[in-house]
Amino acid sequence: MKAKRVLFVGDELIAGYGDARAMGWTGRVMARTEHDPPVMSIELATPGETTAQLTARWQSDIESRLDRNADNRLVVGLGSHDLDAGLSLARSRLYVANMLDNAARIGLRPFVVGPPPRYDQPERLQLDLSNAFAEVCQRRSIPFVDCYTPLVRHEQWATDMVLSGSYTPRQAGYGLIAWLVLHQGWHAWLGVPQTGVE
């Protein structure tokens, strides 16, 4: 069976910042992804990154890490730093669209994980941003995991974010994101059996 390589790009959320177990959601997802040979995962995080900055750097970051003999996949973990930077919704949408189109041009099949809720930005702005990202993916038939809607009123998520007092959750919050990813098309997209998922 052909080897698989998954490259994660995004901000500090894909790095699992704040997780006492140092796994984040990416580590938890990969721990429940069975394949022979094992899937190689590579996280390429830039803290505080906007979609403009992500679009500018992602391709050069992954080029030396691609395996021409493997099935390479790209996971885009989108955060909400665009709100901090004051980027317009149209700009955010355009940057993500350009990134996904360029990924398709070089033969990568993206999987996109949307931004989870935070409590220092208006809910309406966060929902609009998440919906804009979802629409970009839908138009391209690219899997999109909505993390905002299921978690915005989730008690465990809210508790975790109060404890962290920052942009990123702690252990429980990362576990919730991982659960959403695993139950919204991850195994089908990667082409691996769905085992060990609760």
Side-chain angles (χ1 to χ4, degrees):
M1 190 175 288
K2 196 171 187 180
K4 293 181 185 290
R5 182 169 292 193
V6 180
L7 298 108
F8 294 86
V9 295
D11 65 11
E12 58 266 46
L13 287 163
I14 67 156
Y17 180 73
D19 180 6
R21 295 182 67 192
M23 291 180 69
W25 67 262
T26 60
R28 287 172 170 80
V29 166
M30 294 310 301
R32 290 171 176 80
T33 302
E34 295 185 15
H35 189 265
D36 187 20
V39 179
M40 177 179 286
S41 66
I42 302 171
E43 289 86 18
L44 301 166
T46 299
E49 186 171 62
T50 65
T51 55
Q53 294 164 326
L54 174 61
T55 301
R57 67 94 178 172
W58 76 273
Q59 196 164 345
S60 60
D61 276 7
I62 70 161
E63 280 176 351
S64 65
R65 296 167 173 93
L66 295 174
D67 180 352
R68 300 300 173 189
N69 297 314
D71 178 1
N72 297 285
R73 303 294 179 99
L74 177 70
V75 177
V76 182
L78 295 172
S80 54
H81 286 300
D82 285 11
L83 300 177
D84 305 316
L87 285 179
S88 70
L89 206 57
R91 282 284 178 191
S92 298
R93 187 186 289 113
L94 179 63
Y95 286 128
V96 172
N98 287 341
M99 179 182 179
L100 297 178
D101 290 344
N102 286 335
R105 270 193 283 276
I106 63 173
L108 292 173
R109 297 177 56 196
F111 185 96
V112 179
V113 179
R118 49 194 284 197
Y119 297 104
D120 60 346
Q121 287 284 350
E123 287 187 14
R124 175 83 281 177
L125 295 180
Q126 295 183 70
L127 179 60
D128 288 347
L129 186 66
S130 179
N131 287 341
F133 292 153
E135 181 184 326
V136 169
C137 293
Q138 184 178 20
R139 288 184 177 183
R140 289 159 178 78
S141 299
I142 290 171
F144 176 82
V145 177
D146 174 12
C147 292
Y148 182 80
T149 306
L151 297 180
V152 68
R153 300 279 179 261
H154 196 289
E155 185 177 342
Q156 193 174 24
W157 176 266
T159 301
D160 221 38
M161 291 301 285
V162 168
L163 286 171
S164 78
S166 68
Y167 174 82
T168 55
R170 290 192 173 171
Q171 189 170 321
Y174 282 116
L176 290 169
I177 296 174
W179 190 93
L180 291 171
V181 171
L182 288 165
H183 289 82
Q184 293 188 49
W186 172 261
H187 294 89
W189 167 77
L190 191 53
V192 298
Q194 184 167 336
T195 57
V197 177
E198 299 176 0

